């Protein structure tokens, strides 16, 4: 059992800050972050906080000063460099609000590098609140320990995504007509998982996906999975087979 | 590409009914089921409906008569026998309402045979609405095509579950101190996945789990997963490695 460091304690708040961090920097937080630290967590001067900026990794800071609507922190140590994120994109057709929020949260927790909303012929929800999705990803990154945020790409039409698909990146999709067992079909290297809308892809879209040389049709079993379930299942399987979940053969 | 049967159409409503089905049976539905078929789907006499009873499989029925608060259906054909469900139990500590509902839904979609809520030392939500969980599982079974409902077990204390643990059933748990890569650690055969509460297991509970000869500690990667995420990831990986998601080596 590895020894757990005594400081900072496991309960230390952990926050993403949208400003560059570095040794001896002083950070002024206001708005919801300040309210969280002082109103919710009731931190006093001297209390530890972990901060990460999506650039330089994770830093230990301590509360210096608490004002009515702001809090000042001083950085005391570099805890970890920014992590290397497995090179997996998730292309997901927007689904209704609660479930797409969940997809944003889970894509971050499970370790996706980039989330790309794709607009398909049967996509019903085509106005996406990207700020809300980003807030869900940030909250997930804070709690799951990521030091790198997933990149949130602008929504893109499926046909445009397929037209410019990178030569060296596998495009993994759940093939309704069968498909190979996931674990055996997936190889190490850059990849993307494509999840369709609730109504599925049209026949034309399916043909265009299959025509791509980089396409890899896989099976997610005999039951019909909702889009959010298929996303969690496929990303988990990829992480175990080709990502950083510890399969020695893939590393 | 296998030919898709022309009848019944893919849009045919599919319902679980809590009464035995058989050839030529006449089924009277009232309450929410009748409202769904006539008020929401606006079915008329002659319209097809798929029914399953968790005993005899799936049947094709047709609407015979629509009354103000009820609908009568006549069974016309046996579509499928009751499926063989992979022998996987999910032991999950209750978590807050929205997330435990999601766990019930996903455990059904992903193919779990039995859901057992386990009460741990750090379980905060200890009053569980089993009827609500069962309703979520039924709705998931209707949409994912299952002909067998997951069994919903009464909540059980973790120490009692461990004391009477079946000799031949692996108990798979995410080991915070490392653990083997999931896909390599899992063998075919009866299994259960144990997911702890949001606060994790206590040191005493972890020792008791590890002391069980059937315990298999696995890794779910370097990020800290929420309970609902860990559940979806672990069940997906088991299904791919040892269940019915098409890994030929496991079948």
């Amino acid at each position: 059992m590895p020894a757990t460091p005594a400081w900072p304690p496991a309960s230390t708040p952990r926050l993403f800050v949208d400003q560059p961090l570095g040794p001896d920097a002083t950070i002024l937080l206001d708005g919801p972050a300040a309210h969280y630290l002082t109103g919710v967590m009731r931190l006093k001067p001297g209390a530890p906080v972990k901060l990460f900026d999506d650039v330089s990794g994770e830093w230990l800071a301590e509360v210096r000063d608490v004002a009515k609507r702001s809090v000042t922190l001083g950085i005391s140590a570099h805890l970890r460099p920014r992590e290397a994120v497995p090179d997996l994109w998730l292309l997901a057709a927007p689904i209704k609000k609660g479930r797409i929020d969940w997809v944003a949260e889970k894509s971050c927790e499970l370790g996706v590098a980039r989330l790309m909303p794709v607009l398909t012929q049967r996509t019903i929800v085509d106005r996406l609140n990207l700020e809300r999705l980003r807030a869900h990803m940030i909250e997930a990154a804070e709690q799951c320990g990521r030091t790198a945020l997933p990149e949130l790409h602008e929504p893109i039409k499926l046909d445009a995504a397929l037209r410019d698909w990178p030569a060296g990146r596998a495009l993994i999709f759940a093939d309704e007509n069968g498909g190979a067992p996931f674990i055996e079909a997936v190889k190490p290297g850059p990849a993307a998982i494509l999840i369709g809308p609730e109504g599925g892809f049209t026949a034309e879209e399916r043909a265009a996906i299959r025509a791509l040389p980089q396409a890899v049709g896989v099976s997610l079993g005999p039951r019909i999975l909702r889009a959010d379930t298929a996303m969690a299942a496929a990303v988990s399987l990829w992480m175990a087979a080709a990502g950083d979940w510890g399969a020695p053969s893939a590393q």
Side-chain angles (χ1 to χ4, degrees), chain A:
Chain A
M1 192 182 301
T4 305
W7 190 262
S11 59
T12 303
R14 187 169 185 279
L15 284 181
F16 167 73
V17 291
D18 204 359
Q19 53 183 288
L21 302 174
D24 304 320
T26 299
I27 309 295
L28 178 74
L29 296 179
D30 54 14
H35 174 73
Y36 171 71
L37 293 181
T38 62
V40 179
M41 302 299 291
R42 301 194 169 279
L43 299 190
K44 308 287 179 217
V49 177
K50 291 178 184 174
L51 301 175
F52 65 104
D53 61 0
D54 195 26
V55 176
S56 65
E58 185 178 58
W59 300 80
L60 181 62
E62 74 171 45
V63 175
R64 291 272 166 76
D65 190 53
V66 175
K68 194 162 173 58
R69 298 187 192 282
S70 67
V71 55
T72 307
L73 300 116
I75 285 182
S76 54
H78 195 204
L79 296 174
R80 290 189 287 159
R82 184 178 190 273
E83 74 201 290
V85 179
D87 193 0
L88 180 67
W89 297 354
L90 174 65
L91 279 72
I95 46 179
K96 60 184 181 179
K97 182 177 166 190
R99 292 187 186 260
I100 188 77
D101 290 351
W102 193 92
V103 164
E105 175 184 308
K106 296 318 171 202
S107 67
C108 180
E109 273 182 66
L110 292 169
V112 160
R114 174 193 278 194
L115 175 59
M116 291 174 80
V118 283
L119 307 177
T120 70
Q121 293 175 7
R122 292 197 184 127
T123 298
I124 294 166
V125 190
D126 62 357
R127 192 170 307 169
L128 257 188
N129 186 333
L130 291 180
E131 274 310 302
R132 198 186 69 225
L133 291 189
R134 185 170 146 86
H136 280 285
M137 296 202 306
I138 288 173
E139 194 183 325
E142 290 172 342
Q143 75 85 24
C144 80
R146 277 182 75 143
T147 53
L149 296 179
E151 179 198 344
L152 180 58
H153 197 277
E154 288 289 314
I156 183 171
K157 289 192 173 178
L158 178 61
D159 54 4
L162 296 179
R163 198 167 47 231
D164 297 328
W165 195 255
R169 184 173 297 273
L171 180 68
I172 299 164
F173 71 103
D175 191 337
E176 294 166 19
N177 299 329
F182 197 108
I183 295 172
E184 294 169 22
V186 168
K187 306 281 174 272
I193 288 168
L194 173 61
I195 302 288
E198 291 290 356
F201 296 112
T202 63
E204 186 188 345
E205 287 172 334
R206 279 202 300 274
I209 294 164
R210 285 213 182 80
L212 204 70
Q214 301 94 319
V216 179
V218 296
S219 166
L220 290 175
R223 287 163 288 274
I224 301 162
L225 304 185
R226 281 180 188 268
D228 53 344
T229 324
M231 169 263 155
V235 174
S236 299
L237 290 173
W238 189 90
M239 286 291 162
D244 63 0
W245 287 17
S249 55
Q251 288 175 359

